[in-house]
Amino acid sequence: MHQDDIVTRVRTQYPDATIDIAGADCNFEIHILSDGFAGQSLLQRQKGILALFKDELQSGAMHALTIKAKTPAEKAAESS
């Protein structure tokens, strides 16, 4: 899977997202900032993103996906 494919898929659910991605082949780390995460627990955020890649994870086309999902306000609070 290519990084562009991952970004495109995440944007289908979180169109306002700022996305930073690292990795290649079948192991990726993705940092997502979106107001769409407001009111969601960490587990809900993880499950929502992982669901977008369910088939790839089950087939082994993607082995690992590390997800850091925050709202812009949460990110700003970390910086101060």
Side-chain angles (χ1 to χ4, degrees), residues 1-79:
M1 183 162 239
H2 296 287
Q3 289 184 3
D4 291 341
D5 298 328
I6 294 170
V7 170
T8 298
R9 200 168 299 181
V10 170
R11 286 199 193 280
T12 63
Q13 190 162 342
Y14 301 98
D16 71 320
T18 299
I19 302 168
D20 291 316
I21 189 166
D25 299 324
C26 56
N27 296 303
F28 296 94
E29 182 171 325
I30 187 167
H31 294 250
I32 308 165
L33 291 179
S34 173
D35 286 322
F37 296 129
Q40 292 183 358
S41 69
L42 178 60
L43 183 59
Q44 290 171 320
R45 296 171 190 194
Q46 297 279 328
K47 284 184 174 183
I49 299 299
L50 288 172
L52 297 172
F53 303 98
K54 179 182 175 185
D55 293 338
E56 290 79 9
L57 290 164
Q58 286 180 341
S59 72
M62 180 183 284
H63 292 275
L65 180 62
T66 302
I67 301 165
K68 306 287 184 182
K70 299 179 182 185
T71 65
E74 290 169 338
K75 180 69 175 173
E78 285 180 355
S79 301

